[in-house]
Amino acid sequence: MPTLAGLKKELKSKADSKKAENLQRFFKTGKGEYGEGDIFLGVIVPEVREVARKYSKLGFEDIKKLLQSKIHEERLAALLILVNNFQKSGEKEKRKIYKFYLKNTKYINNWDLVDLSADKIVGAYLIDKPRDILYKLAKSKNLWERRIAVLATFQFIKNHQFKETLK
């Protein structure tokens, strides 16, 4: 049975201190920078994806714990689990994932986290629904919520719907 502890252990086993050092600079984690305080293990995205697939059965409680982590790759794994589960789910479960995602935007706080999840969850969910939430997010004081609003529209662009992106 996949566990939260198992996921964390597996990510740590793939850690690379040299990559971590480079990622901390690249993602601007220094004092006063947009990623201040973020800690990197130095695990590349394909490896995080692989781990996320193995732990796709984690529940929302464990996913929330991952999202609240200071470790960037743990937050990324949480989002990739949500994306994987969203893509395999029926409408009821998609709604739960979408709502969970929006409730936890304060932890989706770097460009890669947004870019790898917003269109696949928020955009995909809203493809055939009212999109008022996007305008609320676009007016947010939170930079990352504004980015979620814009990136979510990538799903619409793929479906030749441009109104929200332009607006």
PDB file of all heavy atoms in Angstrom, residues 71-105:
ATOM      1  N   ILE A  71       9.285  21.492   0.855  1.00  0.00           N
ATOM      2  CA  ILE A  71      10.063  20.847  -0.206  1.00  0.00           C
ATOM      3  C   ILE A  71       9.293  20.921  -1.521  1.00  0.00           C
ATOM      4  O   ILE A  71       8.192  20.384  -1.655  1.00  0.00           O
ATOM      5  CB  ILE A  71      10.415  19.393   0.176  1.00  0.00           C
ATOM      6  CG1 ILE A  71      11.286  19.405   1.442  1.00  0.00           C
ATOM      7  CG2 ILE A  71      11.113  18.679  -0.977  1.00  0.00           C
ATOM      8  CD1 ILE A  71      11.563  18.043   2.030  1.00  0.00           C
ATOM      9  N   HIS A  72       9.912  21.582  -2.458  1.00  0.00           N
ATOM     10  CA  HIS A  72       9.284  21.860  -3.749  1.00  0.00           C
ATOM     11  C   HIS A  72       8.827  20.583  -4.456  1.00  0.00           C
ATOM     12  O   HIS A  72       7.696  20.512  -4.949  1.00  0.00           O
ATOM     13  CB  HIS A  72      10.281  22.635  -4.628  1.00  0.00           C
ATOM     14  CG  HIS A  72       9.684  23.162  -5.870  1.00  0.00           C
ATOM     15  ND1 HIS A  72       9.077  24.401  -5.937  1.00  0.00           N
ATOM     16  CD2 HIS A  72       9.597  22.624  -7.113  1.00  0.00           C
ATOM     17  CE1 HIS A  72       8.646  24.599  -7.166  1.00  0.00           C
ATOM     18  NE2 HIS A  72       8.954  23.544  -7.894  1.00  0.00           N
ATOM     19  N   GLU A  73       9.677  19.590  -4.518  1.00  0.00           N
ATOM     20  CA  GLU A  73       9.329  18.358  -5.239  1.00  0.00           C
ATOM     21  C   GLU A  73       8.174  17.613  -4.583  1.00  0.00           C
ATOM     22  O   GLU A  73       7.431  16.910  -5.284  1.00  0.00           O
ATOM     23  CB  GLU A  73      10.554  17.438  -5.341  1.00  0.00           C
ATOM     24  CG  GLU A  73      11.634  17.950  -6.264  1.00  0.00           C
ATOM     25  CD  GLU A  73      12.703  18.799  -5.577  1.00  0.00           C
ATOM     26  OE1 GLU A  73      12.442  19.280  -4.438  1.00  0.00           O
ATOM     27  OE2 GLU A  73      13.768  18.985  -6.154  1.00  0.00           O
ATOM     28  N   GLU A  74       7.984  17.774  -3.290  1.00  0.00           N
ATOM     29  CA  GLU A  74       6.827  17.156  -2.636  1.00  0.00           C
ATOM     30  C   GLU A  74       5.538  17.853  -3.073  1.00  0.00           C
ATOM     31  O   GLU A  74       4.527  17.190  -3.318  1.00  0.00           O
ATOM     32  CB  GLU A  74       6.989  17.178  -1.115  1.00  0.00           C
ATOM     33  CG  GLU A  74       8.060  16.223  -0.633  1.00  0.00           C
ATOM     34  CD  GLU A  74       8.225  16.176   0.875  1.00  0.00           C
ATOM     35  OE1 GLU A  74       7.469  16.855   1.611  1.00  0.00           O
ATOM     36  OE2 GLU A  74       9.136  15.448   1.335  1.00  0.00           O
ATOM     37  N   ARG A  75       5.590  19.184  -3.174  1.00  0.00           N
ATOM     38  CA  ARG A  75       4.412  19.908  -3.673  1.00  0.00           C
ATOM     39  C   ARG A  75       4.135  19.540  -5.130  1.00  0.00           C
ATOM     40  O   ARG A  75       2.989  19.339  -5.518  1.00  0.00           O
ATOM     41  CB  ARG A  75       4.596  21.418  -3.495  1.00  0.00           C
ATOM     42  CG  ARG A  75       4.605  21.830  -2.031  1.00  0.00           C
ATOM     43  CD  ARG A  75       4.386  23.304  -1.788  1.00  0.00           C
ATOM     44  NE  ARG A  75       5.117  24.198  -2.647  1.00  0.00           N
ATOM     45  CZ  ARG A  75       6.404  24.540  -2.509  1.00  0.00           C
ATOM     46  NH1 ARG A  75       7.120  24.025  -1.524  1.00  0.00           N
ATOM     47  NH2 ARG A  75       6.968  25.391  -3.331  1.00  0.00           N
ATOM     48  N   LEU A  76       5.201  19.437  -5.907  1.00  0.00           N
ATOM     49  CA  LEU A  76       5.043  19.042  -7.307  1.00  0.00           C
ATOM     50  C   LEU A  76       4.433  17.640  -7.404  1.00  0.00           C
ATOM     51  O   LEU A  76       3.514  17.418  -8.200  1.00  0.00           O
ATOM     52  CB  LEU A  76       6.397  19.097  -8.031  1.00  0.00           C
ATOM     53  CG  LEU A  76       6.401  18.625  -9.487  1.00  0.00           C
ATOM     54  CD1 LEU A  76       5.422  19.422 -10.334  1.00  0.00           C
ATOM     55  CD2 LEU A  76       7.811  18.728 -10.055  1.00  0.00           C
ATOM     56  N   ALA A  77       4.910  16.710  -6.613  1.00  0.00           N
ATOM     57  CA  ALA A  77       4.354  15.347  -6.613  1.00  0.00           C
ATOM     58  C   ALA A  77       2.859  15.377  -6.284  1.00  0.00           C
ATOM     59  O   ALA A  77       2.057  14.686  -6.928  1.00  0.00           O
ATOM     60  CB  ALA A  77       5.106  14.451  -5.630  1.00  0.00           C
ATOM     61  N   ALA A  78       2.479  16.178  -5.302  1.00  0.00           N
ATOM     62  CA  ALA A  78       1.066  16.290  -4.930  1.00  0.00           C
ATOM     63  C   ALA A  78       0.233  16.743  -6.127  1.00  0.00           C
ATOM     64  O   ALA A  78      -0.829  16.175  -6.416  1.00  0.00           O
ATOM     65  CB  ALA A  78       0.904  17.276  -3.771  1.00  0.00           C
ATOM     66  N   LEU A  79       0.713  17.750  -6.826  1.00  0.00           N
ATOM     67  CA  LEU A  79      -0.031  18.278  -7.972  1.00  0.00           C
ATOM     68  C   LEU A  79      -0.074  17.277  -9.122  1.00  0.00           C
ATOM     69  O   LEU A  79      -1.108  17.139  -9.788  1.00  0.00           O
ATOM     70  CB  LEU A  79       0.566  19.610  -8.424  1.00  0.00           C
ATOM     71  CG  LEU A  79       0.379  20.731  -7.402  1.00  0.00           C
ATOM     72  CD1 LEU A  79       1.259  21.929  -7.732  1.00  0.00           C
ATOM     73  CD2 LEU A  79      -1.088  21.139  -7.305  1.00  0.00           C
ATOM     74  N   LEU A  80       1.013  16.575  -9.337  1.00  0.00           N
ATOM     75  CA  LEU A  80       1.031  15.576 -10.404  1.00  0.00           C
ATOM     76  C   LEU A  80       0.102  14.408 -10.087  1.00  0.00           C
ATOM     77  O   LEU A  80      -0.542  13.858 -10.991  1.00  0.00           O
ATOM     78  CB  LEU A  80       2.458  15.099 -10.670  1.00  0.00           C
ATOM     79  CG  LEU A  80       3.385  16.158 -11.269  1.00  0.00           C
ATOM     80  CD1 LEU A  80       4.819  15.640 -11.358  1.00  0.00           C
ATOM     81  CD2 LEU A  80       2.895  16.647 -12.623  1.00  0.00           C
ATOM     82  N   ILE A  81      -0.009  14.055  -8.812  1.00  0.00           N
ATOM     83  CA  ILE A  81      -0.981  13.033  -8.403  1.00  0.00           C
ATOM     84  C   ILE A  81      -2.386  13.524  -8.725  1.00  0.00           C
ATOM     85  O   ILE A  81      -3.208  12.790  -9.283  1.00  0.00           O
ATOM     86  CB  ILE A  81      -0.841  12.674  -6.907  1.00  0.00           C
ATOM     87  CG1 ILE A  81       0.457  11.912  -6.658  1.00  0.00           C
ATOM     88  CG2 ILE A  81      -2.057  11.871  -6.418  1.00  0.00           C
ATOM     89  CD1 ILE A  81       0.835  11.763  -5.184  1.00  0.00           C
ATOM     90  N   LEU A  82      -2.665  14.778  -8.385  1.00  0.00           N
ATOM     91  CA  LEU A  82      -3.993  15.339  -8.680  1.00  0.00           C
ATOM     92  C   LEU A  82      -4.278  15.338 -10.177  1.00  0.00           C
ATOM     93  O   LEU A  82      -5.378  14.975 -10.607  1.00  0.00           O
ATOM     94  CB  LEU A  82      -4.110  16.759  -8.119  1.00  0.00           C
ATOM     95  CG  LEU A  82      -4.167  16.890  -6.602  1.00  0.00           C
ATOM     96  CD1 LEU A  82      -4.123  18.364  -6.194  1.00  0.00           C
ATOM     97  CD2 LEU A  82      -5.408  16.209  -6.033  1.00  0.00           C
ATOM     98  N   VAL A  83      -3.298  15.746 -10.976  1.00  0.00           N
ATOM     99  CA  VAL A  83      -3.468  15.765 -12.433  1.00  0.00           C
ATOM    100  C   VAL A  83      -3.739  14.352 -12.943  1.00  0.00           C
ATOM    101  O   VAL A  83      -4.688  14.133 -13.707  1.00  0.00           O
ATOM    102  CB  VAL A  83      -2.231  16.381 -13.139  1.00  0.00           C
ATOM    103  CG1 VAL A  83      -2.265  16.112 -14.640  1.00  0.00           C
ATOM    104  CG2 VAL A  83      -2.137  17.871 -12.868  1.00  0.00           C
ATOM    105  N   ASN A  84      -2.921  13.389 -12.525  1.00  0.00           N
ATOM    106  CA  ASN A  84      -3.111  11.995 -12.961  1.00  0.00           C
ATOM    107  C   ASN A  84      -4.499  11.490 -12.584  1.00  0.00           C
ATOM    108  O   ASN A  84      -5.187  10.875 -13.403  1.00  0.00           O
ATOM    109  CB  ASN A  84      -2.051  11.073 -12.330  1.00  0.00           C
ATOM    110  CG  ASN A  84      -0.663  11.325 -12.863  1.00  0.00           C
ATOM    111  OD1 ASN A  84      -0.482  11.901 -13.937  1.00  0.00           O
ATOM    112  ND2 ASN A  84       0.337  10.906 -12.117  1.00  0.00           N
ATOM    113  N   ASN A  85      -4.898  11.742 -11.346  1.00  0.00           N
ATOM    114  CA  ASN A  85      -6.201  11.265 -10.881  1.00  0.00           C
ATOM    115  C   ASN A  85      -7.343  11.971 -11.602  1.00  0.00           C
ATOM    116  O   ASN A  85      -8.349  11.345 -11.933  1.00  0.00           O
ATOM    117  CB  ASN A  85      -6.315  11.413  -9.370  1.00  0.00           C
ATOM    118  CG  ASN A  85      -5.410  10.454  -8.632  1.00  0.00           C
ATOM    119  OD1 ASN A  85      -4.882   9.503  -9.214  1.00  0.00           O
ATOM    120  ND2 ASN A  85      -5.203  10.694  -7.356  1.00  0.00           N
ATOM    121  N   PHE A  86      -7.182  13.268 -11.844  1.00  0.00           N
ATOM    122  CA  PHE A  86      -8.211  14.030 -12.558  1.00  0.00           C
ATOM    123  C   PHE A  86      -8.442  13.421 -13.932  1.00  0.00           C
ATOM    124  O   PHE A  86      -9.583  13.220 -14.354  1.00  0.00           O
ATOM    125  CB  PHE A  86      -7.780  15.502 -12.681  1.00  0.00           C
ATOM    126  CG  PHE A  86      -8.826  16.381 -13.306  1.00  0.00           C
ATOM    127  CD1 PHE A  86      -9.741  17.050 -12.516  1.00  0.00           C
ATOM    128  CD2 PHE A  86      -8.896  16.543 -14.681  1.00  0.00           C
ATOM    129  CE1 PHE A  86     -10.719  17.856 -13.087  1.00  0.00           C
ATOM    130  CE2 PHE A  86      -9.859  17.343 -15.261  1.00  0.00           C
ATOM    131  CZ  PHE A  86     -10.780  18.009 -14.463  1.00  0.00           C
ATOM    132  N   GLN A  87      -7.361  13.125 -14.626  1.00  0.00           N
ATOM    133  CA  GLN A  87      -7.465  12.615 -16.000  1.00  0.00           C
ATOM    134  C   GLN A  87      -8.119  11.243 -16.072  1.00  0.00           C
ATOM    135  O   GLN A  87      -8.684  10.882 -17.102  1.00  0.00           O
ATOM    136  CB  GLN A  87      -6.083  12.609 -16.661  1.00  0.00           C
ATOM    137  CG  GLN A  87      -5.583  14.014 -16.892  1.00  0.00           C
ATOM    138  CD  GLN A  87      -4.127  14.099 -17.335  1.00  0.00           C
ATOM    139  OE1 GLN A  87      -3.353  13.177 -17.151  1.00  0.00           O
ATOM    140  NE2 GLN A  87      -3.768  15.236 -17.905  1.00  0.00           N
ATOM    141  N   LYS A  88      -8.088  10.485 -14.991  1.00  0.00           N
ATOM    142  CA  LYS A  88      -8.664   9.132 -14.979  1.00  0.00           C
ATOM    143  C   LYS A  88     -10.057   9.089 -14.353  1.00  0.00           C
ATOM    144  O   LYS A  88     -10.661   8.025 -14.282  1.00  0.00           O
ATOM    145  CB  LYS A  88      -7.761   8.201 -14.168  1.00  0.00           C
ATOM    146  CG  LYS A  88      -6.395   7.986 -14.746  1.00  0.00           C
ATOM    147  CD  LYS A  88      -5.618   7.057 -13.823  1.00  0.00           C
ATOM    148  CE  LYS A  88      -4.149   7.155 -14.051  1.00  0.00           C
ATOM    149  NZ  LYS A  88      -3.378   6.452 -13.035  1.00  0.00           N
ATOM    150  N   SER A  89     -10.544  10.208 -13.854  1.00  0.00           N
ATOM    151  CA  SER A  89     -11.760  10.220 -13.036  1.00  0.00           C
ATOM    152  C   SER A  89     -13.020  10.552 -13.816  1.00  0.00           C
ATOM    153  O   SER A  89     -12.972  11.157 -14.883  1.00  0.00           O
ATOM    154  CB  SER A  89     -11.617  11.251 -11.909  1.00  0.00           C
ATOM    155  OG  SER A  89     -10.603  10.864 -11.036  1.00  0.00           O
ATOM    156  N   GLY A  90     -14.120  10.202 -13.163  1.00  0.00           N
ATOM    157  CA  GLY A  90     -15.429  10.617 -13.652  1.00  0.00           C
ATOM    158  C   GLY A  90     -15.732  12.022 -13.158  1.00  0.00           C
ATOM    159  O   GLY A  90     -14.961  12.609 -12.394  1.00  0.00           O
ATOM    160  N   GLU A  91     -16.861  12.539 -13.558  1.00  0.00           N
ATOM    161  CA  GLU A  91     -17.227  13.939 -13.277  1.00  0.00           C
ATOM    162  C   GLU A  91     -17.253  14.275 -11.785  1.00  0.00           C
ATOM    163  O   GLU A  91     -16.778  15.322 -11.372  1.00  0.00           O
ATOM    164  CB  GLU A  91     -18.585  14.260 -13.916  1.00  0.00           C
ATOM    165  CG  GLU A  91     -18.948  15.723 -13.898  1.00  0.00           C
ATOM    166  CD  GLU A  91     -17.993  16.614 -14.698  1.00  0.00           C
ATOM    167  OE1 GLU A  91     -17.353  16.139 -15.645  1.00  0.00           O
ATOM    168  OE2 GLU A  91     -17.882  17.813 -14.355  1.00  0.00           O
ATOM    169  N   LYS A  92     -17.789  13.376 -10.970  1.00  0.00           N
ATOM    170  CA  LYS A  92     -17.897  13.646  -9.526  1.00  0.00           C
ATOM    171  C   LYS A  92     -16.506  13.810  -8.889  1.00  0.00           C
ATOM    172  O   LYS A  92     -16.270  14.734  -8.115  1.00  0.00           O
ATOM    173  CB  LYS A  92     -18.673  12.520  -8.857  1.00  0.00           C
ATOM    174  CG  LYS A  92     -19.013  12.761  -7.411  1.00  0.00           C
ATOM    175  CD  LYS A  92     -19.849  11.624  -6.852  1.00  0.00           C
ATOM    176  CE  LYS A  92     -20.129  11.845  -5.390  1.00  0.00           C
ATOM    177  NZ  LYS A  92     -20.892  10.724  -4.804  1.00  0.00           N
ATOM    178  N   GLU A  93     -15.599  12.909  -9.222  1.00  0.00           N
ATOM    179  CA  GLU A  93     -14.245  12.965  -8.669  1.00  0.00           C
ATOM    180  C   GLU A  93     -13.482  14.162  -9.242  1.00  0.00           C
ATOM    181  O   GLU A  93     -12.709  14.811  -8.533  1.00  0.00           O
ATOM    182  CB  GLU A  93     -13.499  11.657  -8.945  1.00  0.00           C
ATOM    183  CG  GLU A  93     -12.168  11.554  -8.245  1.00  0.00           C
ATOM    184  CD  GLU A  93     -12.253  11.499  -6.722  1.00  0.00           C
ATOM    185  OE1 GLU A  93     -13.323  11.237  -6.154  1.00  0.00           O
ATOM    186  OE2 GLU A  93     -11.206  11.742  -6.088  1.00  0.00           O
ATOM    187  N   LYS A  94     -13.702  14.484 -10.506  1.00  0.00           N
ATOM    188  CA  LYS A  94     -13.052  15.657 -11.118  1.00  0.00           C
ATOM    189  C   LYS A  94     -13.451  16.921 -10.359  1.00  0.00           C
ATOM    190  O   LYS A  94     -12.624  17.789 -10.110  1.00  0.00           O
ATOM    191  CB  LYS A  94     -13.426  15.782 -12.597  1.00  0.00           C
ATOM    192  CG  LYS A  94     -12.693  14.814 -13.467  1.00  0.00           C
ATOM    193  CD  LYS A  94     -13.061  14.975 -14.932  1.00  0.00           C
ATOM    194  CE  LYS A  94     -12.240  13.982 -15.741  1.00  0.00           C
ATOM    195  NZ  LYS A  94     -12.476  14.050 -17.157  1.00  0.00           N
ATOM    196  N   ARG A  95     -14.723  17.007 -10.018  1.00  0.00           N
ATOM    197  CA  ARG A  95     -15.206  18.173  -9.267  1.00  0.00           C
ATOM    198  C   ARG A  95     -14.499  18.280  -7.914  1.00  0.00           C
ATOM    199  O   ARG A  95     -14.094  19.355  -7.487  1.00  0.00           O
ATOM    200  CB  ARG A  95     -16.716  18.098  -9.090  1.00  0.00           C
ATOM    201  CG  ARG A  95     -17.318  19.278  -8.338  1.00  0.00           C
ATOM    202  CD  ARG A  95     -18.847  19.199  -8.337  1.00  0.00           C
ATOM    203  NE  ARG A  95     -19.436  20.189  -7.493  1.00  0.00           N
ATOM    204  CZ  ARG A  95     -19.569  21.479  -7.808  1.00  0.00           C
ATOM    205  NH1 ARG A  95     -19.126  21.933  -8.949  1.00  0.00           N
ATOM    206  NH2 ARG A  95     -20.136  22.315  -6.968  1.00  0.00           N
ATOM    207  N   LYS A  96     -14.349  17.144  -7.229  1.00  0.00           N
ATOM    208  CA  LYS A  96     -13.652  17.130  -5.934  1.00  0.00           C
ATOM    209  C   LYS A  96     -12.208  17.606  -6.085  1.00  0.00           C
ATOM    210  O   LYS A  96     -11.715  18.386  -5.278  1.00  0.00           O
ATOM    211  CB  LYS A  96     -13.634  15.715  -5.341  1.00  0.00           C
ATOM    212  CG  LYS A  96     -14.862  15.305  -4.622  1.00  0.00           C
ATOM    213  CD  LYS A  96     -14.611  13.935  -3.981  1.00  0.00           C
ATOM    214  CE  LYS A  96     -15.892  13.292  -3.536  1.00  0.00           C
ATOM    215  NZ  LYS A  96     -15.654  11.931  -3.043  1.00  0.00           N
ATOM    216  N   ILE A  97     -11.528  17.118  -7.106  1.00  0.00           N
ATOM    217  CA  ILE A  97     -10.129  17.491  -7.340  1.00  0.00           C
ATOM    218  C   ILE A  97     -10.033  18.975  -7.671  1.00  0.00           C
ATOM    219  O   ILE A  97      -9.181  19.690  -7.135  1.00  0.00           O
ATOM    220  CB  ILE A  97      -9.502  16.613  -8.445  1.00  0.00           C
ATOM    221  CG1 ILE A  97      -9.389  15.169  -7.949  1.00  0.00           C
ATOM    222  CG2 ILE A  97      -8.138  17.165  -8.886  1.00  0.00           C
ATOM    223  CD1 ILE A  97      -9.060  14.140  -9.032  1.00  0.00           C
ATOM    224  N   TYR A  98     -10.920  19.452  -8.523  1.00  0.00           N
ATOM    225  CA  TYR A  98     -10.966  20.869  -8.903  1.00  0.00           C
ATOM    226  C   TYR A  98     -11.169  21.755  -7.667  1.00  0.00           C
ATOM    227  O   TYR A  98     -10.443  22.716  -7.452  1.00  0.00           O
ATOM    228  CB  TYR A  98     -12.088  21.061  -9.934  1.00  0.00           C
ATOM    229  CG  TYR A  98     -12.540  22.481 -10.145  1.00  0.00           C
ATOM    230  CD1 TYR A  98     -11.811  23.356 -10.945  1.00  0.00           C
ATOM    231  CD2 TYR A  98     -13.717  22.944  -9.557  1.00  0.00           C
ATOM    232  CE1 TYR A  98     -12.244  24.662 -11.151  1.00  0.00           C
ATOM    233  CE2 TYR A  98     -14.152  24.235  -9.765  1.00  0.00           C
ATOM    234  CZ  TYR A  98     -13.415  25.089 -10.557  1.00  0.00           C
ATOM    235  OH  TYR A  98     -13.845  26.386 -10.759  1.00  0.00           O
ATOM    236  N   LYS A  99     -12.139  21.403  -6.847  1.00  0.00           N
ATOM    237  CA  LYS A  99     -12.417  22.194  -5.634  1.00  0.00           C
ATOM    238  C   LYS A  99     -11.237  22.148  -4.664  1.00  0.00           C
ATOM    239  O   LYS A  99     -10.873  23.151  -4.057  1.00  0.00           O
ATOM    240  CB  LYS A  99     -13.706  21.721  -4.956  1.00  0.00           C
ATOM    241  CG  LYS A  99     -14.939  22.128  -5.711  1.00  0.00           C
ATOM    242  CD  LYS A  99     -16.187  21.733  -4.951  1.00  0.00           C
ATOM    243  CE  LYS A  99     -17.362  22.449  -5.545  1.00  0.00           C
ATOM    244  NZ  LYS A  99     -18.127  23.216  -4.604  1.00  0.00           N
ATOM    245  N   PHE A 100     -10.641  20.972  -4.495  1.00  0.00           N
ATOM    246  CA  PHE A 100      -9.480  20.820  -3.632  1.00  0.00           C
ATOM    247  C   PHE A 100      -8.337  21.707  -4.139  1.00  0.00           C
ATOM    248  O   PHE A 100      -7.675  22.393  -3.361  1.00  0.00           O
ATOM    249  CB  PHE A 100      -9.055  19.343  -3.610  1.00  0.00           C
ATOM    250  CG  PHE A 100      -7.832  19.071  -2.792  1.00  0.00           C
ATOM    251  CD1 PHE A 100      -7.924  18.862  -1.427  1.00  0.00           C
ATOM    252  CD2 PHE A 100      -6.575  19.025  -3.380  1.00  0.00           C
ATOM    253  CE1 PHE A 100      -6.795  18.607  -0.658  1.00  0.00           C
ATOM    254  CE2 PHE A 100      -5.443  18.770  -2.633  1.00  0.00           C
ATOM    255  CZ  PHE A 100      -5.548  18.564  -1.267  1.00  0.00           C
ATOM    256  N   TYR A 101      -8.110  21.699  -5.418  1.00  0.00           N
ATOM    257  CA  TYR A 101      -7.051  22.507  -6.035  1.00  0.00           C
ATOM    258  C   TYR A 101      -7.276  23.988  -5.714  1.00  0.00           C
ATOM    259  O   TYR A 101      -6.367  24.676  -5.249  1.00  0.00           O
ATOM    260  CB  TYR A 101      -7.058  22.268  -7.547  1.00  0.00           C
ATOM    261  CG  TYR A 101      -5.944  22.936  -8.312  1.00  0.00           C
ATOM    262  CD1 TYR A 101      -4.767  22.249  -8.589  1.00  0.00           C
ATOM    263  CD2 TYR A 101      -6.068  24.230  -8.802  1.00  0.00           C
ATOM    264  CE1 TYR A 101      -3.737  22.839  -9.315  1.00  0.00           C
ATOM    265  CE2 TYR A 101      -5.051  24.831  -9.517  1.00  0.00           C
ATOM    266  CZ  TYR A 101      -3.893  24.131  -9.779  1.00  0.00           C
ATOM    267  OH  TYR A 101      -2.880  24.735 -10.490  1.00  0.00           O
ATOM    268  N   LEU A 102      -8.484  24.469  -5.949  1.00  0.00           N
ATOM    269  CA  LEU A 102      -8.773  25.888  -5.709  1.00  0.00           C
ATOM    270  C   LEU A 102      -8.688  26.255  -4.224  1.00  0.00           C
ATOM    271  O   LEU A 102      -8.300  27.372  -3.893  1.00  0.00           O
ATOM    272  CB  LEU A 102     -10.145  26.258  -6.272  1.00  0.00           C
ATOM    273  CG  LEU A 102     -10.236  26.284  -7.793  1.00  0.00           C
ATOM    274  CD1 LEU A 102     -11.651  26.638  -8.240  1.00  0.00           C
ATOM    275  CD2 LEU A 102      -9.222  27.249  -8.405  1.00  0.00           C
ATOM    276  N   LYS A 103      -9.022  25.326  -3.347  1.00  0.00           N
ATOM    277  CA  LYS A 103      -8.921  25.581  -1.905  1.00  0.00           C
ATOM    278  C   LYS A 103      -7.474  25.692  -1.444  1.00  0.00           C
ATOM    279  O   LYS A 103      -7.199  26.209  -0.374  1.00  0.00           O
ATOM    280  CB  LYS A 103      -9.572  24.432  -1.122  1.00  0.00           C
ATOM    281  CG  LYS A 103     -10.930  24.714  -0.611  1.00  0.00           C
ATOM    282  CD  LYS A 103     -11.341  23.591   0.323  1.00  0.00           C
ATOM    283  CE  LYS A 103     -12.811  23.715   0.613  1.00  0.00           C
ATOM    284  NZ  LYS A 103     -13.340  22.564   1.285  1.00  0.00           N
ATOM    285  N   ASN A 104      -6.563  25.157  -2.231  1.00  0.00           N
ATOM    286  CA  ASN A 104      -5.167  25.061  -1.820  1.00  0.00           C
ATOM    287  C   ASN A 104      -4.207  25.856  -2.704  1.00  0.00           C
ATOM    288  O   ASN A 104      -3.018  25.549  -2.746  1.00  0.00           O
ATOM    289  CB  ASN A 104      -4.760  23.585  -1.767  1.00  0.00           C
ATOM    290  CG  ASN A 104      -5.438  22.875  -0.623  1.00  0.00           C
ATOM    291  OD1 ASN A 104      -5.063  23.027   0.529  1.00  0.00           O
ATOM    292  ND2 ASN A 104      -6.479  22.114  -0.936  1.00  0.00           N
ATOM    293  N   THR A 105      -4.704  26.894  -3.343  1.00  0.00           N
ATOM    294  CA  THR A 105      -3.841  27.668  -4.252  1.00  0.00           C
ATOM    295  C   THR A 105      -2.679  28.342  -3.529  1.00  0.00           C
ATOM    296  O   THR A 105      -1.649  28.599  -4.147  1.00  0.00           O
ATOM    297  CB  THR A 105      -4.634  28.738  -5.028  1.00  0.00           C
ATOM    298  OG1 THR A 105      -5.288  29.608  -4.105  1.00  0.00           O
ATOM    299  CG2 THR A 105      -5.640  28.095  -5.971  1.00  0.00           C
TER     300      THR A 105
END
